[in-house]
């Protein structure tokens, strides 16, 4: 986890460019307190970055490496010098697969590998209370509360899009389902669940929507070319009912054939998307991730076809599926059972195919007068160079209606801090005109008066999810622990209490999952 310490620099320094693997947030997942505010503005579409939302004179290099020795103000050597960089920039992300897969792994009696834990996906798995905008674009909510560790607070930046409208109001969809039918998909809860869910989903799509189906095992086959539903739903059902597990997993062939089918059946004015249903355990044919990823990226750039990854199975290639979705301007979810499948295929996918924002990025500017140190929780492979925030050539996230995006920061305030603490700005392109827009929200230091466990219940849920992710990747020296962290026992009690307060089934499942983790030893 990156750490930033802030101060006012005596001189400006050039910032090192960061080469970001920018994840594209997805379009298909659906269904405030604090200093939300600001007005949505049309801004120039410059290819070079404009001034950042914060004062230009305080910008700096951004990162101090551990063990660096620099001279302090008194000339004495010290291990590190506080960095002048107080900006944090990332591409928006609504992936939730990491949390879903962790739940499945713990339910099977195993602790998940720390490398599969992405805290932002835990945080974004839960309903939020942000105010929604009236039209396309975002609302911005910034709030926070103090932890039990001195001078440390958790600050929540919440972005929300309008709720999804009626199905008839969205553009038609052209969906190419690329379905893994390898032998491993014969495990209960994989292909059988996909068949059932796809059949129900077919009945919920509109007559002017189109569906194609590609299957892959050791080879790939287009079993149904792009077909307008209308009076042809029977053909789609027949293709779905005929899906049976066979041999090995040639994921490369599936991606290649799937995108070729999607390109051939591409519809102007429609939402063109590939939906990959797989355990992502490539073991046959082209298994080189970079080669597979290049096909995804090429189709996105040339034809605007995005990817939605649906992960299944107790053994799951999490890293590959996430990278595929990143390259494909999409996002990933993990389906562990019937409830998850129904939510993804039967509710979210048919209803939320619309698009409200392209290449969305967020930048949070912390005030060096009040903030001594901050770090973003998660988003490790979503980071964007600060200078690229307003460079619209740099890829961001594609976001649909009904989405919320939450970013959580650990913030150490200066003793007696008073006044402005942070400004959060989101920038996006109109999906039709490509015109850029921005919206901002502010947070004052005085708004951090509440103790975390007395704060807004939804902020507490966010904190519990982040602390849980933190606990699951403990022992990995790449990340520092969050301030004010609790043991799993206390964390489970907090989650159970919040489940009663919010009457939210998802929060109850979180409490149960934390209890399972507490009872499982590495």
């Amino acid at each position: 986890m990156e750490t930033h310490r802030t101060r006012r620099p005596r001189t400006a320094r050039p910032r090192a460019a960061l080469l970001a693997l920018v994840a594209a947030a997805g379009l298909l997942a659906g269904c405030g307190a604090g200093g939300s505010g600001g007005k949505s503005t049309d801004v120039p579409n410059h290819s070079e970055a404009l001034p950042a939302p914060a004062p230009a004179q305080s910008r700096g290099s951004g990162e101090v490496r551990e063990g660096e020795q620099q001279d302090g103000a008194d000339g004495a050597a010290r291990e590190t010098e506080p960095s002048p960089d107080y900006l944090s920039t990332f591409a928006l992300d609504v992936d939730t697969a990491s949390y879903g897969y962790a739940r499945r792994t713990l339910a099977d009696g195993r602790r998940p590998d720390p490398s599969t834990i992405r805290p932002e996906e835990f945080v974004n798995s839960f309903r939020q209370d942000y105010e929604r905008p009236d039209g396309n674009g975002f609302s911005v909510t910034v709030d926070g509360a103090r932890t039990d560790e001195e001078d440390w607070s958790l600050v929540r930046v919440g972005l929300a899009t309008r709720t999804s409208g009626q199905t008839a109001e969205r553009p038609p969809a052209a969906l190419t389902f690329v379905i893994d039918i390898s032998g491993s998909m014969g495990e209960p809860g994989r292909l059988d669940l996909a068949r059932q869910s796809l059949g129900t989903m077919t009945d919920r799509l509109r007559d002017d929507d189109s569906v194609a189906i590609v299957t892959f095992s050791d080879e790939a086959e287009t079993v149904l070319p792009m077909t307008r539903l209308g009076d042809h739903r029977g053909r789609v059902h027949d293709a779905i009912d005929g899906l049976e597990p066979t041999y090995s997993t040639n994921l490369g062939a599936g991606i290649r054939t799937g995108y070729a089918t999607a390109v051939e059946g591409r519809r102007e004015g429609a939402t063109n998307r590939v939906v990959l249903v797989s355990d992502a355990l490539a073991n046959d044919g082209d298994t080189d991730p970079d080669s597979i990823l290049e096909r995804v990226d090429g189709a996105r750039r040339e034809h605007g076809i995005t990817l939605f990854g649906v992960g299944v199975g107790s053994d799951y290639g999490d890293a590959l599926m996430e990278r595929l979705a990143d390259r494909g301007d999409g996002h990933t979810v993990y389906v562990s059972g019937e409830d998850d499948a129904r939510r993804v295929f039967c509710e979210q996918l048919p209803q939320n195919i619309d698009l409200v924002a392209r290449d969305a990025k967020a930048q949070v500017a912390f005030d060096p007068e009040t903030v001594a140190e901050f770090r973003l929780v998660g988003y490790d492979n979503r980071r964007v160079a600060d200078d690229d925030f307003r460079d619209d050539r740099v890829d961001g996230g594609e976001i649909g209606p009904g989405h919320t995006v939450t970013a959580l920061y650990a913030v150490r305030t200066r003793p007696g801090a008073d006044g402005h603490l942070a400004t959060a700005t989101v920038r996006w392109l109109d999906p039709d005109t490509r015109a850029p827009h921005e919206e901002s929200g502010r947070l004052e230091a005085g708004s951090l008066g509440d103790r975390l466990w007395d704060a807004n219940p939804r902020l507490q849920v966010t904190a519990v999810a982040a602390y849980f992710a933190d606990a699951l990747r403990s022992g990995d020296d790449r990340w520092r622990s969050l301030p004010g962290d609790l043991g799993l026992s206390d964390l489970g009690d907090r989650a159970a209490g919040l489940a009663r307060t919010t009457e939210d089934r998802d929060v109850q499942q979180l409490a149960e999952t934390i209890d399972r983790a507490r009872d499982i030893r590495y």
Side-chain angles (χ1 to χ4, degrees):
M1 183 179 298
E2 278 190 61
T3 299
H4 298 265
R5 295 179 174 85
T6 65
R7 66 170 174 83
R8 286 175 296 169
R10 292 185 293 272
T11 59
R13 299 180 182 179
R15 183 175 14 265
L18 303 178
L19 181 58
L21 173 60
V22 180
L27 307 176
L28 302 175
C31 342
S36 65
K39 181 179 179 182
S40 179
T41 55
D42 297 337
V43 293
N45 189 4
H46 289 291
S47 60
E48 295 185 0
L50 297 176
Q57 67 270 21
S58 297
R59 300 185 64 173
S61 61
E63 184 175 357
V64 175
R65 294 175 176 82
E66 287 189 28
E68 271 189 5
Q69 290 224 344
Q70 300 188 15
D71 291 338
D74 58 359
R78 59 186 181 188
E79 280 198 5
T80 59
E81 180 186 30
S83 164
D85 187 3
Y86 58 87
L87 295 176
S88 171
T89 309
F90 58 94
L92 300 199
D93 174 29
V94 292
D95 285 1
T96 59
S98 177
Y99 174 66
Y101 185 46
R103 278 184 52 211
R104 168 64 183 267
T105 304
L106 290 164
D108 288 344
R110 299 176 290 122
R111 282 284 191 108
D113 187 318
S115 68
T116 68
I117 302 301
R118 294 181 291 278
E120 73 277 12
E121 297 185 22
F122 280 55
V123 165
N124 280 309
S125 294
F126 297 94
R127 189 177 309 129
Q128 295 290 358
D129 54 359
Y130 309 137
E131 181 180 351
R132 300 278 183 174
D134 293 331
N136 283 354
F138 296 87
S139 64
V140 182
T141 299
V142 192
D143 61 6
R146 298 189 180 277
T147 72
D148 292 334
E149 190 167 330
E150 185 176 5
D151 295 330
W152 279 97
S153 298
L154 294 183
V155 170
R156 179 178 65 159
V157 176
L159 311 172
T161 61
R162 62 172 170 80
T163 56
S164 55
Q166 298 298 314
T167 304
E169 297 174 359
R170 66 163 172 80
L175 306 175
T176 301
F177 289 91
V178 180
I179 303 173
D180 186 346
I181 59 168
S182 61
S184 60
M185 292 292 289
E187 174 190 309
R190 297 193 188 193
L191 188 56
D192 57 340
L193 197 60
R195 263 198 314 263
Q196 178 183 346
S197 302
L198 289 170
T200 304
M201 182 213 65
T202 297
D203 292 331
R204 298 193 181 189
L205 290 172
R206 296 190 326 215
D207 285 348
D208 63 343
D209 292 331
S210 299
V211 169
I213 296 177
V214 171
T215 61
F216 68 94
S217 55
D218 55 333
E219 296 179 347
E221 177 186 5
T222 300
V223 298
L224 182 75
M226 192 65 71
T227 301
R228 193 79 60 101
L229 287 177
D231 296 328
H232 302 293
R233 293 179 195 270
R235 292 182 60 195
V236 180
H237 280 295
D238 289 343
I240 293 170
D241 292 343
L243 300 176
E244 295 291 343
T246 55
Y247 306 109
S248 54
T249 309
N250 191 337
L251 180 59
I255 291 291
R256 181 173 60 252
T257 304
Y259 272 94
T261 301
V263 169
E264 184 177 351
R266 184 177 179 274
R267 291 176 56 186
E268 291 291 339
T271 300
N272 294 271
R273 195 167 331 286
V274 167
V275 181
L276 173 63
V277 183
S278 177
D279 56 18
L281 299 175
N283 58 21
D284 193 8
D286 186 358
T287 60
D288 177 26
D290 291 331
S291 175
I292 298 171
L293 288 164
E294 183 57 36
R295 297 189 189 108
V296 173
D297 191 47
R300 175 192 64 82
R301 286 184 282 103
E302 295 173 28
H303 304 287
I305 297 170
T306 56
L307 177 68
F308 177 46
V310 181
V312 295
S314 55
D315 292 321
Y316 168 54
D318 169 78
L320 178 55
M321 184 69 88
E322 189 205 15
R323 290 177 66 192
L324 287 168
D326 289 353
R327 281 284 190 98
D329 268 358
H331 79 287
T332 61
V333 298
Y334 180 84
V335 170
S336 61
E338 290 184 12
D339 289 344
D340 289 345
R342 186 179 304 109
R343 181 183 304 176
V344 170
F345 289 106
C346 305
E347 297 175 13
Q348 298 172 357
L349 185 56
Q351 294 175 2
N352 296 314
I353 298 172
D354 200 0
L355 183 66
V356 299
R358 288 188 181 275
D359 289 323
K361 311 184 194 84
Q363 185 169 86
V364 182
F366 291 92
D367 193 323
E369 296 286 348
T370 55
V371 174
E373 182 179 353
F374 69 90
R375 63 183 185 271
L376 175 60
V377 179
Y379 291 91
D380 298 316
N381 61 354
R382 307 296 198 263
R383 307 297 171 93
V384 177
D386 295 333
D387 285 335
D388 287 338
F389 176 58
R390 291 193 172 100
D391 185 345
D392 297 324
R393 298 168 301 182
V394 175
D395 195 22
E398 271 59 53
I399 305 294
H403 282 152
T404 61
V405 180
T406 300
L408 194 68
Y409 287 87
V411 177
R412 182 167 66 87
T413 54
R414 298 189 184 280
D418 186 30
H420 177 250
L421 189 86
T423 297
T425 302
V426 58
R427 181 182 175 92
W428 73 95
L429 304 182
D430 181 275
D432 297 321
T433 67
R434 296 282 182 162
H437 304 269
E438 291 185 6
E439 180 83 16
S440 294
R442 292 169 54 91
L443 180 67
E444 302 299 308
S447 298
L448 295 176
D450 286 344
R451 182 173 171 269
L452 176 60
W453 304 118
D454 296 326
N456 178 315
R458 289 295 172 185
L459 173 57
Q460 292 186 54
V461 171
T462 299
V464 168
Y467 282 130
F468 184 38
D470 206 40
L472 290 177
R473 63 179 188 178
S474 63
D476 192 320
D477 294 336
R478 288 178 294 175
W479 298 287
R480 287 174 55 188
S481 295
L482 285 172
D485 61 314
L486 306 174
L488 285 175
S489 181
D490 289 341
L491 202 59
D493 291 342
R494 292 285 181 193
L498 288 165
R500 292 189 293 271
T501 299
T502 60
E503 298 182 342
D504 187 333
R505 173 60 181 158
D506 290 337
V507 181
Q508 179 60 43
Q509 288 179 340
L510 173 62
E512 295 165 359
T513 303
I514 293 173
D515 286 343
R516 289 192 189 99
R518 180 196 60 198
D519 296 336
I520 298 172
R521 297 185 180 277
Y522 281 106

